[in-house]
Amino acid sequence: MKIKLLFILIFISFNLFAQKKIGKDIGIWSIQNGKLLSNQQYDNKLGEHYWTFIRELLPTPLMDQYVKRFRIYTDGKEGDLGGMTLINDSNQDWQLEVDIADLQLEETNQEKIVDYQHTLIHEFGHLLTLNITQIAPTDDEYQDDSKGYLTSEGYARKNSYLDVFVAQFWPDELLFQWDKIDQIRNQRKKENRLFDFYLNAPRSFVTDYAAESPEEDIAESWTYFVMDEIKGGNTIKEQKVAFFYRYPELIQYREEIRKKLRYIPSAYLKSFKIK
Ligand SMILES: [Zn+2]
């Protein structure tokens, strides 16, 4: 039952070119230099309201450089909470989307505020680790080991955040095990095997969702870096959170985001429970 619940609650996606459209459209807007362009098909006031809130929370330089489209949608409460998806194969144009049933700006429940802050920081984590400066687009379908770690967006560039993260935390043996699971085409079976993969090493992953892939692992670890105070520890998951302290620019981003958070939970990593 737990397994089923877990994967019903999976919330985050970065599907290549937004192939799988999630939920029902509420509005889609082009973004130009950080500004939302009116679209007469949709409720512009609502779009502006959400976009302003998100743009104020997340570091502006990266958001303004890469986010070219903003979508609000809903699939009801929970389910998918948001996504950061490529619009084309340039790795330069991204769409941010959020489910407004899960991101209610008038929300007063602290747990729900923490959840949506988590989603937004996580999605920003994808932009941070998968943009063109980090990932080199490729036509390769299968990984050529001499070129590094292959994501759906391309190869992790040498010394990119993901390259260093994978080298440190995903030894070949682990990558090999994960890759075998990732190739399972039966979705349900794959999800069950991924959950077992997490249960095999719960002290290595900040959440069960982090075990989904190295890309999700770094985005989830980044989220705990921003929302928690962990600077090290004996477990691999603590080391993954502390990983980001080696980058001054990320410490800066962390501070900027934290100033704007509505609510910062205490001992966030410790309080994680499988839903
Ligand atoms: Zn994600």
Side-chain angles (χ1 to χ4, degrees), residues 172-196:
D172 289 350
E173 172 63 19
L174 190 72
L175 267 181
F176 181 72
Q177 264 181 45
W178 168 74
D179 203 42
K180 260 170 62 182
I181 300 170
D182 197 47
Q183 284 174 24
I184 297 173
R185 293 178 83 171
N186 177 322
Q187 197 56 27
R188 194 181 160 74
K189 199 171 165 191
K190 179 170 158 180
E191 287 168 357
N192 289 344
R193 292 286 304 281
L194 277 171
F195 191 54
D196 290 341

mmCIF file of all heavy atoms in Angstrom, residues 172-196:
data_model
loop_
_atom_site.group_PDB
_atom_site.id
_atom_site.type_symbol
_atom_site.label_atom_id
_atom_site.label_comp_id
_atom_site.label_asym_id
_atom_site.label_seq_id
_atom_site.Cartn_x
_atom_site.Cartn_y
_atom_site.Cartn_z
ATOM 1 N N ASP A 172 30.007 3.734 -9.885
ATOM 2 C CA ASP A 172 29.588 2.944 -11.050
ATOM 3 C C ASP A 172 28.613 1.827 -10.696
ATOM 4 O O ASP A 172 27.640 1.591 -11.403
ATOM 5 C CB ASP A 172 30.819 2.324 -11.737
ATOM 6 C CG ASP A 172 31.636 3.410 -12.432
ATOM 7 O OD1 ASP A 172 31.139 4.559 -12.524
ATOM 8 O OD2 ASP A 172 32.767 3.115 -12.856
ATOM 9 N N GLU A 173 28.902 1.146 -9.600
ATOM 10 C CA GLU A 173 28.070 0.019 -9.189
ATOM 11 C C GLU A 173 26.614 0.459 -8.961
ATOM 12 O O GLU A 173 25.655 -0.180 -9.400
ATOM 13 C CB GLU A 173 28.669 -0.597 -7.914
ATOM 14 C CG GLU A 173 27.856 -1.650 -7.239
ATOM 15 C CD GLU A 173 27.650 -2.893 -8.105
ATOM 16 O OE1 GLU A 173 28.424 -3.104 -9.075
ATOM 17 O OE2 GLU A 173 26.692 -3.643 -7.815
ATOM 18 N N LEU A 174 26.459 1.611 -8.282
ATOM 19 C CA LEU A 174 25.125 2.141 -7.983
ATOM 20 C C LEU A 174 24.441 2.603 -9.273
ATOM 21 O O LEU A 174 23.264 2.321 -9.509
ATOM 22 C CB LEU A 174 25.250 3.314 -7.009
ATOM 23 C CG LEU A 174 23.949 3.816 -6.406
ATOM 24 C CD1 LEU A 174 23.413 2.807 -5.388
ATOM 25 C CD2 LEU A 174 24.156 5.166 -5.724
ATOM 26 N N LEU A 175 25.194 3.296 -10.127
ATOM 27 C CA LEU A 175 24.652 3.766 -11.404
ATOM 28 C C LEU A 175 24.193 2.590 -12.256
ATOM 29 O O LEU A 175 23.142 2.641 -12.899
ATOM 30 C CB LEU A 175 25.721 4.538 -12.183
ATOM 31 C CG LEU A 175 25.784 6.047 -12.003
ATOM 32 C CD1 LEU A 175 26.887 6.628 -12.869
ATOM 33 C CD2 LEU A 175 24.450 6.716 -12.353
ATOM 34 N N PHE A 176 24.971 1.525 -12.222
ATOM 35 C CA PHE A 176 24.652 0.336 -13.003
ATOM 36 C C PHE A 176 23.340 -0.287 -12.511
ATOM 37 O O PHE A 176 22.447 -0.605 -13.304
ATOM 38 C CB PHE A 176 25.823 -0.657 -12.891
ATOM 39 C CG PHE A 176 25.632 -1.913 -13.666
ATOM 40 C CD1 PHE A 176 25.716 -1.912 -15.056
ATOM 41 C CD2 PHE A 176 25.358 -3.117 -13.021
ATOM 42 C CE1 PHE A 176 25.524 -3.085 -15.787
ATOM 43 C CE2 PHE A 176 25.167 -4.290 -13.741
ATOM 44 C CZ PHE A 176 25.255 -4.269 -15.128
ATOM 45 N N GLN A 177 23.220 -0.400 -11.195
ATOM 46 C CA GLN A 177 21.986 -0.952 -10.598
ATOM 47 C C GLN A 177 20.779 -0.107 -10.969
ATOM 48 O O GLN A 177 19.723 -0.604 -11.329
ATOM 49 C CB GLN A 177 22.098 -0.859 -9.071
ATOM 50 C CG GLN A 177 22.566 -2.080 -8.360
ATOM 51 C CD GLN A 177 22.564 -1.763 -6.845
ATOM 52 O OE1 GLN A 177 21.625 -1.184 -6.284
ATOM 53 N NE2 GLN A 177 23.645 -2.117 -6.199
ATOM 54 N N TRP A 178 20.962 1.210 -10.839
ATOM 55 C CA TRP A 178 19.860 2.135 -11.124
ATOM 56 C C TRP A 178 19.482 2.101 -12.607
ATOM 57 O O TRP A 178 18.307 2.089 -12.968
ATOM 58 C CB TRP A 178 20.254 3.562 -10.712
ATOM 59 C CG TRP A 178 19.298 4.562 -11.241
ATOM 60 C CD1 TRP A 178 18.030 4.814 -10.787
ATOM 61 C CD2 TRP A 178 19.494 5.418 -12.369
ATOM 62 N NE1 TRP A 178 17.427 5.778 -11.559
ATOM 63 C CE2 TRP A 178 18.306 6.163 -12.535
ATOM 64 C CE3 TRP A 178 20.553 5.637 -13.248
ATOM 65 C CZ2 TRP A 178 18.156 7.105 -13.549
ATOM 66 C CZ3 TRP A 178 20.401 6.571 -14.253
ATOM 67 C CH2 TRP A 178 19.213 7.290 -14.398
ATOM 68 N N ASP A 179 20.497 2.050 -13.461
ATOM 69 C CA ASP A 179 20.260 2.048 -14.895
ATOM 70 C C ASP A 179 19.421 0.845 -15.319
ATOM 71 O O ASP A 179 18.545 0.945 -16.176
ATOM 72 C CB ASP A 179 21.616 2.052 -15.614
ATOM 73 C CG ASP A 179 21.485 2.605 -17.015
ATOM 74 O OD1 ASP A 179 20.772 3.607 -17.167
ATOM 75 O OD2 ASP A 179 22.076 2.034 -17.947
ATOM 76 N N LYS A 180 19.698 -0.288 -14.683
ATOM 77 C CA LYS A 180 18.925 -1.496 -15.003
ATOM 78 C C LYS A 180 17.449 -1.301 -14.663
ATOM 79 O O LYS A 180 16.562 -1.721 -15.399
ATOM 80 C CB LYS A 180 19.488 -2.698 -14.221
ATOM 81 C CG LYS A 180 20.402 -3.551 -15.101
ATOM 82 C CD LYS A 180 21.178 -4.595 -14.352
ATOM 83 C CE LYS A 180 20.356 -5.658 -13.643
ATOM 84 N NZ LYS A 180 21.227 -6.600 -12.892
ATOM 85 N N ILE A 181 17.208 -0.639 -13.549
ATOM 86 C CA ILE A 181 15.820 -0.369 -13.146
ATOM 87 C C ILE A 181 15.196 0.660 -14.090
ATOM 88 O O ILE A 181 14.057 0.519 -14.537
ATOM 89 C CB ILE A 181 15.761 0.164 -11.690
ATOM 90 C CG1 ILE A 181 16.354 -0.864 -10.724
ATOM 91 C CG2 ILE A 181 14.325 0.511 -11.300
ATOM 92 C CD1 ILE A 181 16.566 -0.355 -9.312
ATOM 93 N N ASP A 182 15.977 1.675 -14.423
ATOM 94 C CA ASP A 182 15.477 2.759 -15.261
ATOM 95 C C ASP A 182 15.039 2.267 -16.646
ATOM 96 O O ASP A 182 14.215 2.884 -17.304
ATOM 97 C CB ASP A 182 16.579 3.828 -15.396
ATOM 98 C CG ASP A 182 16.037 5.148 -15.889
ATOM 99 O OD1 ASP A 182 15.000 5.589 -15.352
ATOM 100 O OD2 ASP A 182 16.631 5.734 -16.816
ATOM 101 N N GLN A 183 15.615 1.149 -17.065
ATOM 102 C CA GLN A 183 15.268 0.635 -18.395
ATOM 103 C C GLN A 183 13.996 -0.221 -18.409
ATOM 104 O O GLN A 183 13.527 -0.619 -19.471
ATOM 105 C CB GLN A 183 16.438 -0.169 -18.940
ATOM 106 C CG GLN A 183 17.565 0.749 -19.427
ATOM 107 C CD GLN A 183 18.796 -0.022 -19.830
ATOM 108 O OE1 GLN A 183 18.729 -1.193 -20.164
ATOM 109 N NE2 GLN A 183 19.935 0.640 -19.775
ATOM 110 N N ILE A 184 13.456 -0.500 -17.231
ATOM 111 C CA ILE A 184 12.224 -1.313 -17.176
ATOM 112 C C ILE A 184 11.085 -0.523 -17.829
ATOM 113 O O ILE A 184 10.859 0.642 -17.496
ATOM 114 C CB ILE A 184 11.875 -1.671 -15.707
ATOM 115 C CG1 ILE A 184 12.984 -2.525 -15.098
ATOM 116 C CG2 ILE A 184 10.523 -2.378 -15.635
ATOM 117 C CD1 ILE A 184 12.820 -2.792 -13.604
ATOM 118 N N ARG A 185 10.419 -1.149 -18.752
ATOM 119 C CA ARG A 185 9.409 -0.395 -19.506
ATOM 120 C C ARG A 185 8.032 -0.431 -18.843
ATOM 121 O O ARG A 185 7.210 0.451 -19.080
ATOM 122 C CB ARG A 185 9.332 -0.916 -20.956
ATOM 123 C CG ARG A 185 10.630 -0.586 -21.678
ATOM 124 C CD ARG A 185 10.631 -1.113 -23.056
ATOM 125 N NE ARG A 185 9.940 -0.212 -23.969
ATOM 126 C CZ ARG A 185 9.952 -0.366 -25.282
ATOM 127 N NH1 ARG A 185 10.588 -1.374 -25.818
ATOM 128 N NH2 ARG A 185 9.315 0.476 -26.045
ATOM 129 N N ASN A 186 7.793 -1.473 -18.057
ATOM 130 C CA ASN A 186 6.540 -1.537 -17.321
ATOM 131 C C ASN A 186 6.610 -0.534 -16.162
ATOM 132 O O ASN A 186 7.384 -0.706 -15.219
ATOM 133 C CB ASN A 186 6.368 -2.978 -16.805
ATOM 134 C CG ASN A 186 5.117 -3.143 -15.961
ATOM 135 O OD1 ASN A 186 4.768 -2.259 -15.188
ATOM 136 N ND2 ASN A 186 4.479 -4.288 -16.101
ATOM 137 N N GLN A 187 5.829 0.518 -16.279
ATOM 138 C CA GLN A 187 5.944 1.650 -15.360
ATOM 139 C C GLN A 187 5.742 1.257 -13.897
ATOM 140 O O GLN A 187 6.472 1.680 -13.014
ATOM 141 C CB GLN A 187 4.928 2.730 -15.779
ATOM 142 C CG GLN A 187 5.177 4.115 -15.197
ATOM 143 C CD GLN A 187 6.578 4.670 -15.512
ATOM 144 O OE1 GLN A 187 7.195 4.306 -16.529
ATOM 145 N NE2 GLN A 187 7.089 5.522 -14.636
ATOM 146 N N ARG A 188 4.753 0.404 -13.677
ATOM 147 C CA ARG A 188 4.434 0.011 -12.309
ATOM 148 C C ARG A 188 5.568 -0.797 -11.683
ATOM 149 O O ARG A 188 5.953 -0.577 -10.544
ATOM 150 C CB ARG A 188 3.139 -0.816 -12.359
ATOM 151 C CG ARG A 188 2.517 -1.002 -11.034
ATOM 152 C CD ARG A 188 1.250 -1.843 -11.148
ATOM 153 N NE ARG A 188 0.953 -2.401 -9.830
ATOM 154 C CZ ARG A 188 0.469 -1.688 -8.841
ATOM 155 N NH1 ARG A 188 0.197 -0.416 -9.009
ATOM 156 N NH2 ARG A 188 0.251 -2.246 -7.664
ATOM 157 N N LYS A 189 6.102 -1.688 -12.513
ATOM 158 C CA LYS A 189 7.214 -2.511 -12.045
ATOM 159 C C LYS A 189 8.439 -1.625 -11.756
ATOM 160 O O LYS A 189 9.122 -1.784 -10.742
ATOM 161 C CB LYS A 189 7.545 -3.544 -13.136
ATOM 162 C CG LYS A 189 8.338 -4.709 -12.625
ATOM 163 C CD LYS A 189 8.454 -5.792 -13.692
ATOM 164 C CE LYS A 189 9.560 -6.762 -13.283
ATOM 165 N NZ LYS A 189 9.911 -7.682 -14.350
ATOM 166 N N LYS A 190 8.670 -0.689 -12.646
ATOM 167 C CA LYS A 190 9.795 0.222 -12.485
ATOM 168 C C LYS A 190 9.662 1.023 -11.181
ATOM 169 O O LYS A 190 10.615 1.173 -10.424
ATOM 170 C CB LYS A 190 9.833 1.160 -13.693
ATOM 171 C CG LYS A 190 10.937 2.182 -13.666
ATOM 172 C CD LYS A 190 11.003 2.872 -15.012
ATOM 173 C CE LYS A 190 11.672 4.200 -14.959
ATOM 174 N NZ LYS A 190 11.720 4.836 -16.284
ATOM 175 N N GLU A 191 8.455 1.514 -10.923
ATOM 176 C CA GLU A 191 8.224 2.295 -9.710
ATOM 177 C C GLU A 191 8.455 1.455 -8.457
ATOM 178 O O GLU A 191 9.066 1.915 -7.489
ATOM 179 C CB GLU A 191 6.811 2.882 -9.726
ATOM 180 C CG GLU A 191 6.693 4.021 -10.733
ATOM 181 C CD GLU A 191 5.269 4.453 -11.020
ATOM 182 O OE1 GLU A 191 4.325 3.827 -10.467
ATOM 183 O OE2 GLU A 191 5.092 5.405 -11.793
ATOM 184 N N ASN A 192 8.001 0.218 -8.495
ATOM 185 C CA ASN A 192 8.220 -0.675 -7.340
ATOM 186 C C ASN A 192 9.705 -0.933 -7.113
ATOM 187 O O ASN A 192 10.186 -0.922 -5.986
ATOM 188 C CB ASN A 192 7.496 -2.013 -7.546
ATOM 189 C CG ASN A 192 5.989 -1.850 -7.439
ATOM 190 O OD1 ASN A 192 5.507 -0.842 -6.926
ATOM 191 N ND2 ASN A 192 5.244 -2.817 -7.942
ATOM 192 N N ARG A 193 10.414 -1.149 -8.221
ATOM 193 C CA ARG A 193 11.854 -1.430 -8.114
ATOM 194 C C ARG A 193 12.617 -0.193 -7.629
ATOM 195 O O ARG A 193 13.566 -0.300 -6.864
ATOM 196 C CB ARG A 193 12.405 -1.911 -9.460
ATOM 197 C CG ARG A 193 11.883 -3.277 -9.894
ATOM 198 C CD ARG A 193 12.509 -4.414 -9.086
ATOM 199 N NE ARG A 193 13.963 -4.373 -9.171
ATOM 200 C CZ ARG A 193 14.687 -4.812 -10.210
ATOM 201 N NH1 ARG A 193 14.085 -5.380 -11.244
ATOM 202 N NH2 ARG A 193 15.986 -4.725 -10.202
ATOM 203 N N LEU A 194 12.176 0.989 -8.069
ATOM 204 C CA LEU A 194 12.822 2.223 -7.604
ATOM 205 C C LEU A 194 12.587 2.429 -6.111
ATOM 206 O O LEU A 194 13.459 2.905 -5.394
ATOM 207 C CB LEU A 194 12.282 3.434 -8.382
ATOM 208 C CG LEU A 194 12.928 3.701 -9.728
ATOM 209 C CD1 LEU A 194 12.147 4.781 -10.486
ATOM 210 C CD2 LEU A 194 14.384 4.137 -9.591
ATOM 211 N N PHE A 195 11.402 2.058 -5.671
ATOM 212 C CA PHE A 195 11.121 2.203 -4.242
ATOM 213 C C PHE A 195 11.986 1.233 -3.431
ATOM 214 O O PHE A 195 12.516 1.594 -2.384
ATOM 215 C CB PHE A 195 9.623 1.979 -3.967
ATOM 216 C CG PHE A 195 9.226 2.379 -2.572
ATOM 217 C CD1 PHE A 195 9.510 3.647 -2.081
ATOM 218 C CD2 PHE A 195 8.580 1.478 -1.744
ATOM 219 C CE1 PHE A 195 9.155 4.021 -0.793
ATOM 220 C CE2 PHE A 195 8.224 1.842 -0.440
ATOM 221 C CZ PHE A 195 8.509 3.114 0.036
ATOM 222 N N ASP A 196 12.175 0.015 -3.947
ATOM 223 C CA ASP A 196 13.090 -0.938 -3.289
ATOM 224 C C ASP A 196 14.519 -0.385 -3.265
ATOM 225 O O ASP A 196 15.242 -0.562 -2.293
ATOM 226 C CB ASP A 196 13.119 -2.282 -4.048
ATOM 227 C CG ASP A 196 11.806 -3.041 -3.903
ATOM 228 O OD1 ASP A 196 11.046 -2.735 -2.961
ATOM 229 O OD2 ASP A 196 11.547 -3.927 -4.743
#
